[in-house]
Amino acid sequence: PAGELAALVGAAALEADRAARRHGFRGVAARALAKTPAADRARYTAYAEGVNAGLAALDRPPFEYLLLRTTPEPWRPEDAILSGLAMYGDLQNPNASAEAVLAVMEDVLPAPLAAFLAADASDWETPVDGLAIPVASVPGPEVFDLRASLAPVRPLTREDHARLARAEAWFEDESALGSNNWAVAGAHTASGAALVANDMHLRISVPNIWYRASIVMPDPSGDPAPLRQTGVTMPGMPVMIVGSNGHIAWGYTNSQADWHDLVVIEPDPRDPTQYLTPDGPRPFDLVTGTIQVKGGADEPVETRWTIWGPVWDTDHQGRERALRWVAHDDDVLARSVDRFTFAKDTAQALQLAAHTALPGQNLVVGDTAGRIGWTLAGTLPVRVGFTGQVPVSWADGTRRWDGWLPVDVHPRIIDPPDGRLWTANARVVGGERLQQLGEGNYSDGVRARIIRDGLLALDRATPADMLALQLSDDGRFLERWRTRLLATLTPEAIAASPARAEFARLLDATWTGRASIDSVAYRLTRQARAVVSRLAFAPFGEQWREVAPAASYARMRRAEGPLWRLVTEQPAHLLNPAYDSWPALILAAVDETIGELTAEGDALAGRTWGEANRAAIGHPLAAAVPLIGRWLNMPPDPLPGDVYTPRASSPRAGASQRMAVTPGREDEGLMVMPVGQSGHPWSPYYRSHHEAWVTGQALPFLPGQTVHTLVLKDR
């Protein structure tokens, strides 16, 4: 995240480094380290000393550095904070792209139509507190009529379909960057203690992002029994990320709360080198630096900063915008990330979670007494004068962030009446608590719905039950689409195109009800739905194509709500003018799907979901060194599950770990991860866990019999 890759790999990383340098993370991390509590700073320093001592003791550099013909830079204490900032970048979309698209929609479209397409809610949402948000109604022809709109609507070309298919692929990968976690209270578990499950969905590469660990230490509370903390760590950060300490177990999912805002910059009308602030005109701050490029000339970089953050982009009206993001705040990053090592119960853990340096996460906790709870782990900004959904000016001070949400009012749920908690990147709460979290482009509640239903069906839950739910490839999301497609494929429609007869036969005969690798019907339904989405929404994108061609509606995660309303209510005034009726549009999507899947001469009956959803889990250097790539990458296994199922998977993203554990009964728990523990391709542990991860096996949560021992000694 510091923008220093080009020094390691050369000019190929320049674009990534330029983007990273705009955040100034190296300086942010150094300032945060200076403010970090002494105990955490000592830990970061000791960790850096250990890393550097380990590097010095190696006979030769790690194999990646041998391939790149370079040597590792010494590890610095602030690099631990930079490791955390890498997760901020992965989880919080620093481009604020959904906010930018919504701003375009609100400026170009009538307000009721923009609200309908923005989809604050959908019929899939399953918040834990049951507080529903009204679903926006379909706007009438008096609001907007596509057939009478000023912006012309053109048919999609083959190039358009290819471009939009790439946007769909982006959406699928981003949607798989989610997670599931849940907890079952002791009244509904086999043990009588709480049961916590977590599978964090991220981009998966080689080596895996997590490293399993079990740490035994004296208990500072005076308990004579040692404290044992087991779970996964992240290399670079000396802290247990998720796991169990014998008293509590905890897990995370990305919250999708609102962690940043685009701020419209108002230039000083008398001096364009300055901008307006609540304290009057102010010059931009210039932050300069140099990107070192291996094998090439160094490149100078310069970023203009405002009091709110870096100058980030220019909107469709030609106005510059700054990015205000919690990750730029060194006071936030100076807070501890290790809050749960010594927590004794759920209530204590929830209290400790507020105001951590974590990139805001849904935290679910359970304890040995059977209590469970949820809260938002991380630092929430307090917005004044605006909601944060679209960019606005902060120049006069009436719109601003007014510090951070106090600990005592942080949103939380403890001991829910039905004894179950679940999160899956969708809305967890409504009402005042949702206002505190903000709108960060929540996912549809499809996974949350399936998880909730599965949990409520269990009354004596075990870790094995939790794994079964994590592995669920329940296809109910597409069931209604399959029914809609079959209803549209009438005898008359089939008679007009013989290829449709085979499509209908396969939808009927090969449906398994799951995103299973052998299902042709699942793939046909899924792809046809995607094409319906392209055809239905393309005309709205044409309304802003001239002013904001890069604004993609695919950035909005809850498109299923408005799409389903359109195809079921079938309003003629919102129908793509290229088609005479909604059934005609759906049949065109069927034809396009058939064409896409048979373009290379393949039979439709062989196009299974497993063929499409095939793992592409590789080492970052594999493409650069093709002769050894096959030793570095994992096999291209067909993967069950989809971004619409609890087993959320796409070729490059999925469950980075699966965990289910009862605190105090860790010997009954399970933990499964992709790839292996070792990052060296010649190690027997390089891919040792991968087959179990692919096939859905359970592996023990605790380490087994000792095979190798590494003794660390003071020099």
Side-chain angles (χ1 to χ4, degrees), residues 569-639:
E569 299 182 28
Q570 302 193 354
H573 61 286
L574 297 181
L575 171 64
N576 187 326
Y579 304 97
D580 295 330
S581 66
W582 281 98
L585 182 149
I586 295 172
L587 289 173
V590 169
D591 294 340
E592 177 64 27
T593 300
I594 294 169
E596 289 178 357
L597 293 178
T598 60
E600 303 297 324
D602 299 288
L604 204 60
R607 310 312 302 273
T608 63
W609 176 238
E611 179 191 49
N613 201 41
R614 193 173 286 277
I617 300 171
H619 192 286
L621 294 182
V625 194
L627 292 179
I628 65 169
R630 64 191 182 94
W631 285 292
L632 298 179
N633 297 339
M634 296 297 110
D637 300 296
L639 300 175

Side-chain angles (χ1 to χ4, degrees), residues 4-5 7-9 52 55-56 58-75 292 294:
E4 297 165 352
L5 279 175
L8 186 65
V9 302
N52 293 327
L55 286 172
L58 293 175
D59 293 334
R60 60 185 65 83
F63 88 95
E64 294 93 342
Y65 290 89
L66 289 174
L67 290 174
L68 294 170
R69 298 179 182 178
T70 188
T71 55
E73 291 288 322
W75 189 264
Q292 295 181 338
K294 180 184 178 183

